[in-house]
Amino acid sequence: MKRALILLLAFAMLLSVVACGSKTGQGADSPSGSVSGGDKATDPGSDKQADAKPERTKIRVEIFDRGTDGGKTDPTNNYWTDWIKEKVLEEENIEVEFVAVSRWEETDKLNNLMASGTAPDVCYTYSGDLIALYRDQGGLTNLVPYMDLLKDLDVLLGEDTSLPGRRLIERNRVLETGEIHSIPARRMNVAGANTFIRKDWLDKLGLPLPNTRQEWTDALRAFKNNADKLGVDVIPFTMTPDVRWRAGNLIDSFIDPNLSDKDRWINTVIDRNYLLPGVKEGYRYLNMMFLEGLIDPEFYLYKDDVKNEELIKAGRIGCFIHNWDQAFRNSPSLLDGLRENVPDGEYVACDPFENATGKKYKMKYNAAGLYVFIPAASKVPEAAVRYINWLAKPEVYRFLQFGEEGKNHKIVNGLPATIPADGPTIQNSVNNIDYTISMNGIWLGDEETTAKAIANGYTCDPEYIVQAIRCSLNDAEAGLVVPVTLSVAGPYTEDLKAKGEEGTCNAVRAPEGQFDAIWDAFIAEWRASGADEIIAERAAKYVDPF
């Protein structure tokens, strides 16, 4: 009982404050059972309006393609897409065709589709700067005339916790015109990244779980120097070319803790913090690690997570930084994959990176996640809006998240508990977030019920998840949300991202004594490539959000 209470409290910390306010039907039926929630379950479509259905309309909907490793299915044609197509046709008279967009080449693919006028009627992206670019080019539908059709979505999204007094559905309203061109998904939990380390290796070498940067570095050195004892060709730390994310917790610990929220916001360019005081020293530290042989020597060649995951499951990786639950999410998880090759292998979260004041500062998210939009080229914007709203109905998103009882979940104490799935009902993304689109994470009507359900959502021992939550949220801070409309970054975004990856990879790999020259040249080019113009706009438009 005590352990269950600790777990529940930990998950309550994880959830963002979701002011849904409504107590609409909080259940989701499935072919062989129901998913319980805060209120009595209802049949999908049971509250259909008596009015005649709109004319039958076909729409095209973007869906991320995450590959087929681990048994993933064709994202455009599987059990879940069949269910969506059948239900939305029955309830909204909408015929759906899914269009795959590579998760790893999302921006290039979307740019090509938008430029050719062939983008799906419902699209989404994690890039706010990309949304601004499309908006300023006249490429997005103004959603204001359709807001009355988004009532279920408004209930789901609730209040904007970063901008008191506003609804989250209006987060992206253009102040100058009042138009809304995109709607954010809601993050139902706000944890950012975690540092995962091989605890079985620590135990074998008699080392404690690292609690400081120095202890962490010493542990990686011990992994490298004791490869024979560990019985494998050790790679102490791995990442990808997206260094600012895959080493983010380490880098953030070098940021000047006295930096004001205003200066941090102004000088953060396309979510990159290269120009913040102290960040250079974080990359210098990574360069030191690389020269010592502590970092995967081929990290800069990996264009996605595939190679990282292969090495993790093969038992060669001592440590990595990623999403707060990355080692334990999905079925099978990275931990499950590791244990197929190393039965006693164990990854745990740790929190070793202290800043100059001793705090373990790290990033956490605000409530807004990806951006959902309808291209201006769409000939059926009303049907697209009705589809987006349909996904926000509890009976719809609950089924997509939890699936069929006996296949994707079982009921434990009245709540769904995940069953590792394979075959047709496997979920290509955690909780099917690529299909639910308006929410990232599960929601069962209230924080306590949702916390219990999240606790049931992993196949590993719950204590792993408790520790991961504590580490990810300890001293974590969300970035400032400033309610202004920005335009300058859009055309520069992709070039700056590419230059950022190339420049940071080069700096981390700099030969002895050349780090400063390589870093300074990178920053000079970065600033000249549009960063200074972006900063100037942010400085000019900054307003105190409070």
Side-chain angles (χ1 to χ4, degrees):
M1 178 64 70
K2 181 177 179 182
R3 177 178 171 185
L5 178 60
I6 292 173
L7 184 61
L8 175 58
L9 292 174
F11 272 102
M13 291 168 55
L14 180 63
L15 298 174
S16 61
V17 179
V18 184
C20 290
S22 169
K23 291 187 178 179
T24 53
Q26 301 285 349
D29 280 359
S30 64
S32 60
S34 63
V35 177
S36 300
D39 293 336
K40 185 177 180 180
T42 59
D43 291 332
S46 63
D47 60 345
K48 298 175 191 173
Q49 296 180 357
D51 297 339
K53 294 178 184 177
E55 181 180 353
R56 180 164 175 166
T57 308
K58 181 176 180 178
I59 66 171
R60 299 165 69 241
V61 176
E62 175 187 354
I63 182 69
F64 278 152
D65 184 352
R66 297 177 182 269
T68 57
D69 59 296
K72 293 186 180 73
T73 58
D74 179 350
T76 68
N77 182 24
N78 57 50
Y79 172 87
W80 305 104
T81 59
D82 288 347
W83 187 88
I84 290 171
K85 290 175 182 179
E86 177 185 345
K87 291 297 182 181
V88 77
L89 181 61
E90 173 189 337
E91 297 175 17
E92 296 288 342
N93 218 19
I94 294 173
E95 183 180 347
V96 173
E97 174 190 351
F98 287 97
V99 178
V101 172
S102 170
R103 176 66 182 95
W104 320 116
E105 299 172 350
E106 164 201 353
T107 300
D108 289 342
K109 184 68 178 291
L110 272 182
N111 282 340
N112 291 335
L113 291 169
M114 291 290 287
S116 65
T118 59
D121 301 291
V122 177
C123 294
Y124 52 82
T125 177
Y126 281 99
S127 173
D129 294 312
L130 197 61
I131 290 290
L133 176 63
Y134 296 157
R135 178 199 66 214
D136 294 344
Q137 292 175 340
L140 303 182
T141 297
N142 175 22
L143 300 175
V144 170
Y146 304 102
M147 295 305 280
D148 285 346
L149 299 176
L150 292 169
K151 292 180 179 178
D152 292 289
L153 180 60
D154 184 33
V155 169
L156 175 64
L157 298 184
E159 297 290 336
D160 191 335
T161 55
S162 296
L163 297 171
R166 292 177 59 166
R167 305 291 291 176
L168 187 58
I169 199 171
E170 299 180 346
R171 163 72 73 88
N172 300 328
R173 184 184 294 276
V174 179
L175 298 181
E176 294 81 358
T177 65
E179 295 182 347
I180 298 174
H181 299 97
S182 65
I183 295 173
R186 178 145 214 149
R187 292 187 185 276
M188 297 307 181
N189 66 64
V190 295
N194 255 329
T195 304
F196 299 97
I197 195 165
R198 285 285 297 271
K199 187 174 184 299
D200 56 310
W201 285 4
L202 293 173
D203 292 344
K204 189 171 291 188
L205 299 178
L207 298 172
L209 192 67
N211 191 48
T212 66
R213 187 190 303 145
Q214 189 61 54
E215 289 180 359
W216 177 77
T217 309
D218 289 343
L220 299 191
R221 287 171 175 149
F223 293 165
K224 175 179 180 292
N225 295 331
N226 289 277
D228 290 344
K229 186 173 183 179
L230 298 175
V232 69
D233 185 10
V234 169
I235 298 175
F237 181 76
T238 194
M239 55 185 183
T240 68
D242 191 9
V243 181
R244 55 97 206 184
W245 169 245
R246 294 297 302 275
N249 284 7
L250 169 64
I251 295 165
D252 286 354
S253 70
F254 286 88
I255 296 174
D256 181 357
N258 297 314
L259 184 67
S260 69
D261 288 340
K262 175 182 177 180
D263 286 340
R264 182 188 295 269
W265 184 84
I266 288 173
N267 292 286
T268 298
V269 177
I270 61 164
D271 294 326
R272 273 66 177 165
N273 60 10
Y274 307 140
L275 304 180
L276 301 187
V279 166
K280 178 180 179 180
E281 298 311 306
Y283 283 92
R284 188 191 303 278
Y285 200 86
L286 286 167
N287 174 242
M288 175 271 293
M289 291 173 56
F290 185 84
L291 294 176
E292 284 192 30
L294 301 181
I295 295 178
D296 186 339
E298 297 185 345
F299 81 91
Y300 65 99
L301 299 175
Y302 306 148
K303 300 306 180 185
D304 52 38
D305 285 348
V306 173
K307 186 63 176 180
N308 272 190
E309 293 182 356
E310 290 176 357
L311 293 169
I312 289 167
K313 293 176 182 178
R316 295 183 58 193
I317 303 300
C319 183
F320 66 97
I321 295 171
H322 214 311
N323 296 309
W324 76 271
D325 61 344
Q326 191 72 24
F328 316 117
R329 64 166 54 175
N330 296 329
S331 299
S333 68
L334 294 178
L335 179 60
D336 294 332
L338 170 66
R339 285 178 171 169
E340 288 183 6
N341 297 299
V342 186
D344 62 347
E346 184 178 19
Y347 277 110
V348 298
C350 61
D351 191 18
F353 304 124
E354 78 283 7
N355 67 10
T357 64
K359 292 185 65 175
K360 304 291 182 70
Y361 168 78
K362 61 186 73 68
M363 176 277 296
K364 70 177 181 180
Y365 295 106
N366 70 66
L370 59 72
Y371 302 88
V372 182
F373 65 94
I374 298 172
S378 173
K379 305 298 184 185
V380 287
E382 181 175 320
V385 167
R386 288 194 291 113
Y387 175 78
I388 293 168
N389 187 70
W390 178 80
L391 288 174
K393 295 178 181 292
E395 63 270 20
V396 174
Y397 66 71
R398 296 244 181 100
F399 179 77
L400 290 174
Q401 290 177 333
F402 295 111
E404 292 190 45
E405 184 177 354
K407 290 185 178 179
N408 291 91
H409 74 273
K410 58 185 177 181
I411 299 299
V412 177
N413 297 324
L415 293 171
T418 296
I419 298 173
D422 54 20
T425 61
I426 194 170
Q427 295 181 336
N428 292 346
S429 56
V430 61
N431 300 127
N432 266 337
I433 59 174
D434 295 342
Y435 293 112
T436 60
I437 72 176
S438 294
M439 58 196 305
N440 189 330
I442 65 173
W443 180 247
L444 288 174
D446 64 81
E447 290 186 24
E448 181 177 352
T449 304
T450 301
K452 292 177 180 177
I454 293 175
N456 286 340
Y458 296 85
T459 57
C460 62
D461 188 314
E463 291 300 329
Y464 288 112
I465 309 303
V466 172
Q467 184 167 334
I469 294 167
R470 288 172 176 161
C471 290
S472 64
L473 292 180
N474 181 40
D475 291 337
E477 297 179 16
L480 194 66
V481 175
V482 179
V484 296
T485 302
L486 301 171
S487 300
V488 171
Y492 297 115
T493 298
E494 293 313 303
D495 184 51
L496 286 174
K497 284 182 179 178
K499 283 183 166 64
E501 287 196 0
E502 180 182 8
T504 53
C505 286
N506 288 341
V508 171
R509 298 166 56 237
E512 186 78 39
Q514 296 184 34
F515 172 82
D516 284 296
I518 290 174
W519 178 267
D520 293 346
F522 153 56
I523 292 299
E525 182 180 9
W526 167 267
R527 299 187 73 117
S529 298
D532 278 346
E533 292 180 48
I534 295 170
I535 291 169
E537 181 192 35
R538 294 171 77 87
K541 291 188 174 182
Y542 177 84
V543 295
D544 188 341
F546 305 108

